[in-house]
Amino acid sequence: MTVNKLILPGSLAGVPKKADRGWCWFVLALSVLMAGFLVGPRVPDDQQEVHCVVNVRVAGPWGVSLNCDSSYYMSLARDPSMLLAPRSVRQNRPGMVLAAATLAMPLSLLSDLAVLPRTLGVTVGRADMDPQRVNQALSHHFPQYAAYIALNVMLLLLSFHCFRRVCGRDGVGSDTATTMVVVSVGVLLVANDVTKAFVWSPHNQMLNIFVPVAAVAATLRSWSGGLLNRRFAAGAGLLSGFGYTAYQLFAIIPVCVIIAGLLHAGRPQCSDARSRAGINIALLLGLGVAPFALWYLFVRMATGEFYDHELSSGLGVWMINAWAHGGVAALLGGWAQHGAAMVKLAAWQAIPIGAVMAVLLMAAITQREIVCAALGPLVPVAMAGLFVSAVVVAFYASAGYTPARLAFAAIPPLIVVAGAIAVAVVQRLEAIHRRMLACGCAMIAALQVIYVIVKDGPYS
């Protein structure tokens, strides 16, 4: 398996149509997972305020604990002009709202959709909040709610797609063992606390899964010379640019792409390509900045001011204070402190990765030469995954805000690495060992799904 074979192959025309069965199994697993999350609500009624959720009950055993920001997201998608209101909390992040508003337009034409919550027997209860606030949000803004959930599911599907692309043709092989490994690792990408807490809520937290996985794919492409391709540079710039208007984590994509591209251009054999890399970096940065800059200018012209909720809340301000009071030492110390907190919160969420690596280690014990031969070409993948994970940690450490749901963003790149290794190894093992490895990965994924569904929490 060559490095180029691992990185975003340009065409899958030669892949049998049977390869799509991996998608079928993944969609089925995701459906089971989401149905499991619908059993509830899980949050005790007297703890809703503490966990910033609102319990929504549906007839029968079904119900969800909506994040307390959900009704605001739905209202914005119904009337995006609210983004221009003074001190609008999402004024600096309009992307997800505008995407949901666009997606909700055709749904809004379905008059029966508005009465669906009442038909399903939806009830809301929270002592410190007027239940009509959420009831009305669901009944009047149900097309917007459905649009956000569709976006959440779409981001999870795109995460699986990016993982398959990183694995290249081996990741879409038609044999059963490879399909089992790919689907199992894909399930590990989506069976986690972030999905459990937010997939049924209008929110942007699914981007903490998609963006790191997309960053790994983009980093590998850039490392293999993609930054010299004008089309790739423009695509990465547009993705990060429009993405940044929805969630600031998209800023890691140009960082990863540029660093990987410069390392490639710095090779002695690539000296004639450095000028092209420079032009494409300028293109990438220009397209990466343009969408937010245009939105900023539009808001300033329309309202005379621009409100950034994150800056107003003090995110990132600690760096200025640290520099002012202690210089470089204090700044590095603060980064180390926040980064260590991120790693500590992420570590226990990485247990499924450890389980996959344990299965691979067992395979290595019995088939050492085959496993070692498979690992050689995967060094770039491992480096890209570790690098992106470190960049995510540095990004959130810079903000100075490190809850567990944000710490999880460092995990998807590592899942991609473990998955790419498992796919490469299973392709080379003998039949009986292939089945053992595939069944081991499938068992880990099944146990993770069951655990995440039945465990207590998380709620926000």
Side-chain angles (χ1 to χ4, degrees):
M1 182 189 304
T2 64
V3 174
N4 287 334
K5 192 177 179 181
L6 279 164
I7 302 169
L8 298 177
S11 173
L12 298 178
V15 178
K17 291 184 178 180
K18 290 183 179 180
D20 290 340
R21 66 182 178 174
W23 268 110
C24 295
W25 283 110
F26 177 77
V27 170
L28 177 61
L30 180 60
S31 301
V32 170
L33 184 71
M34 293 187 64
F37 292 157
L38 268 180
V39 177
R42 307 295 183 87
V43 181
D45 288 341
D46 59 352
Q47 296 183 26
Q48 294 178 85
E49 183 177 3
V50 174
H51 296 294
C52 191
V53 299
V54 179
N55 283 342
V56 177
R57 290 178 170 81
V58 187
W62 312 109
V64 294
S65 297
L66 291 183
N67 184 270
C68 57
D69 292 334
S70 295
S71 59
Y72 183 54
Y73 271 99
M74 288 185 280
S75 298
L76 288 174
R78 184 178 177 87
D79 182 11
S81 65
M82 292 172 58
L83 288 167
L84 302 178
R87 300 183 68 82
S88 175
V89 174
R90 295 291 174 258
Q91 190 171 96
N92 66 322
R93 289 190 286 174
M96 196 76 167
V97 171
L98 297 177
T102 302
L103 192 58
M105 286 181 182
L107 297 177
S108 300
L109 300 177
L110 302 177
S111 58
D112 292 340
L113 203 59
V115 301
L116 188 58
R118 292 196 296 275
T119 304
L120 295 175
V122 173
T123 59
V124 181
R126 180 166 157 176
D128 65 311
M129 181 182 294
D130 181 6
Q132 291 304 312
R133 170 183 167 187
V134 182
N135 271 328
Q136 290 177 1
L138 286 172
S139 60
H140 295 144
H141 310 333
F142 195 77
Q144 288 72 32
Y145 176 81
Y148 278 112
I149 305 309
L151 287 172
N152 285 345
V153 173
M154 192 183 307
L155 289 170
L156 296 179
L157 295 176
L158 284 172
S159 299
F160 181 61
H161 170 71
C162 289
F163 165 62
R164 280 165 47 99
R165 298 286 282 182
V166 168
C167 294
R169 289 184 182 271
D170 286 347
V172 291
S174 59
D175 65 282
T176 301
T178 302
T179 300
M180 287 177 64
V181 171
V182 171
V183 173
S184 298
V185 176
V187 169
L188 295 181
L189 278 174
V190 299
N192 53 66
D193 285 352
V194 174
T195 306
K196 182 175 183 177
F198 292 98
V199 74
W200 284 109
S201 288
H203 217 283
N204 52 21
Q205 289 304 303
M206 294 306 101
L207 291 170
N208 276 316
I209 299 173
F210 168 70
V211 175
V213 178
V216 174
T219 300
L220 283 168
R221 182 71 178 87
S222 184
W223 170 252
S224 67
L227 192 59
L228 303 179
N229 184 297
R230 190 69 49 84
R231 185 176 177 181
F232 169 77
L238 290 172
L239 174 64
S240 58
F242 283 104
Y244 187 82
T245 65
Y247 205 54
Q248 286 89 337
L249 185 61
F250 274 95
I252 71 170
I253 291 180
V255 171
C256 294
V257 167
I258 290 173
I259 292 176
L262 289 176
L263 289 174
H264 176 269
R267 298 171 183 172
Q269 64 269 32
C270 299
S271 57
D272 59 334
R274 290 169 191 168
S275 60
R276 263 196 302 159
I279 294 173
N280 287 349
I281 287 174
L283 174 65
L284 188 156
L285 291 176
L287 293 175
V289 171
F292 185 82
L294 291 173
W295 171 252
Y296 174 85
L297 292 174
F298 170 74
V299 174
R300 286 299 301 265
M301 292 175 63
T303 68
E305 58 182 1
F306 188 89
Y307 178 67
D308 191 307
H309 181 68
E310 281 70 31
L311 287 179
S312 299
S313 300
L315 295 184
V317 175
W318 72 267
M319 292 188 291
I320 300 175
N321 296 332
W323 179 269
H325 293 92
V328 176
L331 187 60
L332 294 178
W335 261 322
Q337 181 181 356
H338 294 306
M342 280 276 292
V343 172
K344 183 178 180 180
L345 288 170
W348 64 269
Q349 301 182 78
I351 292 176
I353 302 175
V356 172
M357 298 307 293
V359 171
L360 290 171
L361 181 60
M362 292 174 62
I365 293 174
T366 57
Q367 304 282 309
R368 185 189 313 174
E369 292 184 3
I370 295 176
V371 172
C372 290
L375 293 180
L378 290 168
V379 172
V381 180
M383 292 177 62
L386 292 171
F387 173 62
V388 171
S389 185
V391 172
V392 170
V393 171
F395 177 86
Y396 281 127
S398 298
Y401 181 57
T402 56
R405 60 184 171 84
L406 300 186
F408 178 79
I411 300 300
L414 305 182
I415 294 177
V416 170
V417 172
I421 294 173
V423 169
V425 170
V426 78
Q427 290 284 329
R428 288 162 172 76
L429 295 176
E430 297 175 359
I432 185 170
H433 296 289
R434 286 160 63 87
R435 289 194 293 269
M436 291 175 61
L437 175 58
C439 289
C441 290
M443 185 176 297
I444 292 169
L447 290 174
Q448 176 68 4
V449 168
I450 295 171
Y451 170 72
V452 172
I453 289 176
V454 303
K455 73 185 286 282
D456 184 41
Y459 307 130
S460 59

